[in-house]
Amino acid sequence: MNKIITVGREFGSGGRELGRRLAEILGCAYYDREIIAEIAKRTSLSETYIQHITEHKPVIPFPIHTGRTFWAVIPDYGQNVQKEQHDIIREMAGKSDCVIVGRGADYILREQKPFRLFVYSDIESKIKRCQQNESADYEKGETLSEKELRKRIESINKARADYYEFYTGQKWGAKENYDLCINTSNCSVKALAEAVSRII
Amino acid sequence: MNKIITVGREFGSGGRELGRRLAEILGCAYYDREIIAEIAKRTSLSETYIQHITEHKPVIPFPIHTGRTFWAVIPDYGQNVQKEQHDIIREMAGKSDCVIVGRGADYILREQKPFRLFVYSDIESKIKRCQQNESADYEKGETLSEKELRKRIESINKARADYYEFYTGQKWGAKENYDLCINTSNCSVKALAEAVSRII
């Protein structure tokens, strides 16, 4: 069976960089935005739209009340995208050893028993990392004050937690769901990657 | 400043073994039950009694109601022991590089910025580890059924969580309070120790 490493990460924690470096050290495939591009190819939807769908839990527009039962109507516009993402992640994991960043891959691939990393840090470190532009999840070219950046980081991480919990029924970042949780506050991700690769 | 490593650990997770091995690899002092022995020496109390005090939050015997305010009466029989433990941990950390297992040392030494490990595992691994006698926190010579052992493990860990939260105001095992959280389920602690020492 292929060696699969999944990387859950708080936005601003350097988790993506850690994943990329791990793949380099271990000499295996690395999947992150490649998944979005592949969904776009298969569905003919735009990458921006797909990115939104795969980073937010669906909005439930209205409840219907019939007799004593409330029904939540979940729009199906996102279901195809989710299904494609699911299939693509399984295909990638089936192909070769790999590192997969985000997208609930730890849960999707749970039967393959991946090594499940979670990367986090304190808010000050996140702000510093974003200011140094190591991370690129918010729109490039935007100039945010520290206060705005803090708000943005918190809101992206809230969306990640909601998305993960909606699709997996598990709590995002709860250590029980991971093999190793790494706090990158005041840490060099480059130096960490080498040591983490040995644990894996 | 000395390099200090604190090891929080769920009972049955192999955290004590990991701490001991880390100290060996890093060539530094290791403190665990030594702290109990030292408190006993300084207070003339029995080690069994001290162990109980340092593993359970105090029982609050009765609330007093005066006017509109409730007062919780906390017995002071444990306060001396807690103070001694505090002082001893600080002295040990001041002496040389060291690994300190349990006892809320991560919180007591927070100003010295120790490297804070937390070691955990799933319940099945804990039961297996205890059956293999790698851990020795419950009384030797006892023969427990798997069901009894599971209950014992859960109750010891509940006491550890309560104790930690009572004295630190923090949630025991919440990853935000640690630098590295390691899941030892189905893992060889011996192999882990080498890799973890590199991260530190």
Side-chain angles (χ1 to χ4, degrees), chain A residues 89-129:
Chain A
I89 286 174
R90 282 173 181 276
E91 285 170 31
M92 286 167 165
K95 253 197 269 183
S96 66
D97 293 359
C98 62
V99 173
I100 304 177
V101 173
R103 291 154 227 291
D106 55 303
Y107 183 80
I108 293 171
L109 299 173
R110 62 196 180 281
E111 282 163 22
Q112 280 91 321
K113 305 230 169 286
F115 188 91
R116 303 157 302 168
L117 265 178
F118 191 84
V119 186
Y120 62 104
S121 71
D122 60 31
I123 184 72
E124 281 68 30
S125 288
K126 284 177 191 145
I127 291 171
K128 219 164 129 188
R129 260 203 186 87

Side-chain angles (χ1 to χ4, degrees), chain A residues 10 116 118 120 173 175-176 178-183 192 195-196 198-199, chain B residues 10 116 118 120 173 175-176 178-183 192 195-196 198-199:
Chain A
E10 289 179 354
R116 303 157 302 168
F118 191 84
Y120 62 104
K175 67 181 188 305
E176 292 69 30
Y178 304 93
D179 298 299
L180 193 69
C181 302
I182 307 176
N183 188 339
L192 259 183
V196 171
R198 286 172 186 270
I199 292 191
Chain B
E10 288 180 353
R116 301 157 303 167
F118 191 84
Y120 63 104
K175 66 181 188 306
E176 292 69 30
Y178 305 92
D179 298 299
L180 193 69
C181 302
I182 307 177
N183 188 339
L192 258 182
V196 172
R198 286 173 186 270
I199 291 191

Side-chain angles (χ1 to χ4, degrees), chain B residues 23-135:
Chain B
E24 276 170 25
I25 294 167
L26 299 168
C28 66
Y30 170 77
Y31 300 118
D32 177 9
R33 305 198 170 197
E34 293 77 3
I35 297 168
I36 301 287
E38 185 61 29
I39 300 172
K41 221 166 74 184
R42 296 190 188 184
T43 59
S44 305
L45 295 166
S46 83
E47 290 194 18
T48 313
Y49 176 74
I50 292 164
Q51 182 147 7
H52 182 84
I53 295 289
T54 57
E55 284 174 3
H56 296 81
K57 72 171 186 178
V59 177
I60 296 170
F62 52 87
I64 295 174
H65 186 214
T66 54
R68 289 186 178 180
T69 313
F70 279 97
W71 295 92
V73 178
I74 299 170
D76 67 6
Y77 58 83
Q79 284 180 12
N80 276 350
V81 171
Q82 291 302 335
K83 194 195 162 303
E84 288 296 343
Q85 175 162 267
H86 223 271
D87 292 350
I88 291 167
I89 287 175
R90 283 173 180 276
E91 284 169 31
M92 285 167 165
K95 251 197 269 183
S96 66
D97 293 358
C98 61
V99 173
I100 304 177
V101 174
R103 292 155 227 291
D106 54 305
Y107 183 80
I108 293 171
L109 299 173
R110 62 195 180 281
E111 280 163 24
Q112 279 92 323
K113 304 227 169 286
F115 187 91
R116 301 157 303 167
L117 266 178
F118 191 84
V119 186
Y120 63 104
S121 71
D122 59 30
I123 184 73
E124 283 69 31
S125 288
K126 283 176 192 146
I127 290 172
K128 219 163 128 190
R129 259 202 188 90
C130 288
Q131 284 170 336
Q132 289 166 349
N133 237 334
E134 281 182 38
S135 191

